[in-house]
């Protein structure tokens, strides 16, 4: 069975599709590459923000479940999402940008030999930027060429994903024995694991916090993290692998944009495995990705009904010019 090759995507929950679109587009400078609906709850938007090409390993996605309460951070949580930027100097640019735009941040710090900048959004969703200056391993993506961020400082993809968990021995066993990751470092309560080629795009950081209350899912929290596999055959091999651990799972799921397998490894941590393809280019022109409501084929016949149930908001960017600042 082939190893996992890196982080595929992170899916989180937002209080507002419109506000998260504004934040990711105009503050972070990621490209909305797909505006669709939650395939299991068609009244909920599912927005995909990624690099210029919608590459695997670069996208963070959001649900806006109606009437969901605010989440509470704590134990048993996928607790922070990282984004990769090219250099240490890029973080200086981002500190100034965040201060100018009144984005809460902790200033530049260092962890596991990399410069980082932690910040939050309007929902208290937890993120960090991480510098690729000293990075080796999985390559990152291509920044959004027409976005508002100078290309030498723009976000290129996903970095280490944080898990907060009380029982380190258990979560270490899950990561190493089930997912074939390896522990390569420790600083204070943080343990660094990596998969595949390693590097920022293939790492998980476990924060061991024995006294925190259990987190509560809601807006401002992460729903699940996905790791990369090559193809459908790999998914089938992982189903067999899960059976050896008697780990309950979803079985094969075709998400149209990629193929998936889900397993809840703890009560609060849901892990998806997802294929790199087919990707986001199959149903929209490259130039106008994310500008219309995209539906997978099995929902297309219900388009009129879905569009009547879901509120419209404008995501057209192809006719606009963003000044890099």
């Amino acid at each position: 069975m082939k190893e996992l090759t890196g982080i595929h995507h992170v899916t989180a929950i937002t209080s507002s599709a419109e506000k998260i679109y504004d934040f990711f587009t105009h503050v972070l400078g990621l490209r909305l590459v797909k505006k669709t609906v939650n395939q299991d709850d068609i009244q909920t938007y599912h927005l995909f923000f990624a690099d210029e090409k919608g590459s695997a390993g670069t996208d963070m996605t959001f649900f806006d479940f109606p009437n969901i309460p605010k989440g509470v951070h704590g134990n048993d949580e996928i607790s922070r999402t990282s984004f990769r930027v090219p250099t240490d100097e890029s973080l200086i640019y981002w500190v100034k940008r965040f201060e100018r735009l009144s984005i809460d941040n902790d200033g530049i710090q260092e962890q596991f030999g990399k410069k980082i900048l932690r910040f939050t959004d309007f929902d208290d969703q937890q993120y960090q930027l991480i510098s690729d200056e000293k990075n080796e391993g999985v390559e990152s993506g291509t920044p959004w060429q027409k976005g508002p961020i100078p290309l030498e400082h723009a976000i290129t993809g996903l970095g280490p994903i944080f898990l907060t968990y009380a029982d380190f021995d258990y979560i270490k066993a899950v990561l190493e024995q089930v997912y074939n990751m390896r522990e390569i470092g420790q600083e204070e309560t943080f343990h660094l694991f990596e998969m595949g080629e390693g590097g920022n795009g293939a790492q998980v950081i476990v924060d061991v916090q024995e006294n925190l209350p259990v987190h509560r899912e809601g807006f401002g929290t992460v729903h699940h993290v996905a790791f990369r596999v090559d193809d459908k055959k790999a998914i089938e091999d992982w189903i067999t692998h899960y059976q050896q651990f008697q780990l309950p799972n979803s079985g094969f799921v075709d998400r149209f944009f990629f193929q998936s397998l889900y397993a809840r490894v703890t009560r609060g941590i849901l892990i998806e495995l997802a294929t790199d393809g087919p990707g986001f280019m199959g149903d929209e022109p490259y130039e106008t990705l994310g500008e219309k409501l995209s539906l997978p084929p099995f929902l297309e016949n219900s388009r009129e009904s879905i569009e009547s149930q879901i509120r419209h908001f404008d995501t057209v960017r192809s006719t606009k010019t963003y000044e890099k600042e």
Side-chain angles (χ1 to χ4, degrees), residues 176-290:
E176 291 184 340
Q177 297 176 30
V178 179
Y179 291 102
N180 301 319
M181 298 186 195
R182 52 201 178 271
E183 185 177 2
I184 61 169
Q186 178 184 357
E187 291 184 2
E188 300 176 332
T189 62
F190 298 95
H191 297 255
L192 178 63
F193 293 81
E194 69 177 12
M195 66 197 95
E197 296 178 37
N200 287 340
Q203 293 181 338
V204 172
I205 296 175
V206 176
D207 182 13
V208 181
Q209 296 291 335
E210 297 179 352
N211 299 316
L212 283 179
V214 174
H215 97 287
R216 186 181 71 215
E217 187 175 89
F219 67 80
T221 66
V222 169
H223 186 271
H224 66 268
V225 61
F227 301 129
R228 295 170 66 179
V229 298
D230 290 338
D231 50 28
K232 183 178 180 180
K233 174 62 166 58
I235 294 280
E236 293 169 347
D237 290 344
W238 275 95
I239 291 173
T240 301
H241 182 68
Y242 280 167
Q243 289 170 349
Q244 296 173 358
F245 289 90
Q246 298 184 324
L247 181 62
N249 63 85
S250 65
F252 176 81
V253 180
D254 189 345
R255 292 300 190 194
F256 182 59
F257 308 116
F258 42 81
Q259 298 160 332
S260 299
L261 172 66
Y262 299 83
R264 189 167 291 282
V265 299
T266 73
R267 186 174 181 180
I269 297 175
L270 177 62
I271 292 178
E272 175 185 359
L273 305 183
T275 59
D276 279 2
F280 299 111
M281 304 292 185
D283 64 337
E284 290 184 275
Y286 175 80
E287 295 76 15
T288 57
L289 286 174

Side-chain angles (χ1 to χ4, degrees), residues 19-266:
K19 288 175 69 175
I20 205 68
Y21 168 73
D22 180 67
F23 186 81
F24 267 69
T25 303
H26 301 118
V27 176
L28 297 185
L30 276 81
R31 186 181 187 192
L32 180 68
V33 295
K34 197 61 59 181
K35 178 170 68 174
T36 185
V37 295
N38 181 334
Q39 295 179 14
D40 304 312
D41 178 6
I42 59 173
Q43 296 184 36
T44 299
Y45 269 118
H46 195 182
L47 306 180
F48 291 73
F49 300 93
D51 74 343
E52 170 75 13
K53 303 174 183 178
S55 308
T58 72
D59 56 312
M60 186 163 187
T61 87
F62 285 89
F63 298 133
D64 69 335
F65 295 116
N67 304 315
I68 193 169
K70 180 174 174 53
V72 178
H73 296 299
N75 249 321
D76 194 13
E77 179 185 14
I78 303 167
S79 49
R80 188 180 300 275
T81 303
S82 303
F83 296 105
R84 299 166 67 176
V85 296
T87 63
D88 294 354
E89 185 179 350
S90 298
L91 295 180
I92 297 172
Y93 161 85
W94 281 98
V95 168
K96 294 176 181 177
R97 181 173 180 82
F98 286 165
E99 294 299 328
R100 178 167 57 83
L101 298 176
S102 300
I103 305 300
D104 289 340
N105 70 90
D106 295 339
I108 297 172
Q109 303 174 45
E110 184 169 316
Q111 187 175 46
F112 296 113
K114 309 283 181 61
K115 297 292 186 182
I116 60 171
L117 173 60
R118 293 176 178 153
F119 66 101
T120 56
D121 69 9
F122 52 90
D123 284 333
D124 195 33
Q125 183 78 239
Q126 298 182 132
Y127 313 95
Q128 73 173 23
L129 300 177
I130 185 167
S131 169
D132 267 351
E133 184 161 313
K134 298 178 181 178
N135 186 60
E136 296 180 357
V138 174
E139 291 187 4
S140 200
T142 304
W144 181 24
Q145 302 296 290
K146 295 183 178 180
I149 310 300
L151 297 181
E152 66 269 24
H153 300 313
I155 290 170
T156 59
L158 291 171
I161 305 304
F162 285 71
L163 309 179
T164 301
Y165 202 73
D167 185 347
F168 177 66
D169 290 341
Y170 176 79
I171 201 68
K172 176 182 172 71
V174 169
L175 295 178
E176 291 184 340
Q177 297 176 30
V178 179
Y179 291 102
N180 301 319
M181 298 186 195
R182 52 201 178 271
E183 185 177 2
I184 61 169
Q186 178 184 357
E187 291 184 2
E188 300 176 332
T189 62
F190 298 95
H191 297 255
L192 178 63
F193 293 81
E194 69 177 12
M195 66 197 95
E197 296 178 37
N200 287 340
Q203 293 181 338
V204 172
I205 296 175
V206 176
D207 182 13
V208 181
Q209 296 291 335
E210 297 179 352
N211 299 316
L212 283 179
V214 174
H215 97 287
R216 186 181 71 215
E217 187 175 89
F219 67 80
T221 66
V222 169
H223 186 271
H224 66 268
V225 61
F227 301 129
R228 295 170 66 179
V229 298
D230 290 338
D231 50 28
K232 183 178 180 180
K233 174 62 166 58
I235 294 280
E236 293 169 347
D237 290 344
W238 275 95
I239 291 173
T240 301
H241 182 68
Y242 280 167
Q243 289 170 349
Q244 296 173 358
F245 289 90
Q246 298 184 324
L247 181 62
N249 63 85
S250 65
F252 176 81
V253 180
D254 189 345
R255 292 300 190 194
F256 182 59
F257 308 116
F258 42 81
Q259 298 160 332
S260 299
L261 172 66
Y262 299 83
R264 189 167 291 282
V265 299
T266 73

Side-chain angles (χ1 to χ4, degrees), residues 296-305:
F298 73 91
L299 290 177
E300 190 60 50
N301 289 339
S302 302
R303 174 175 290 275
E304 185 175 345
S305 173

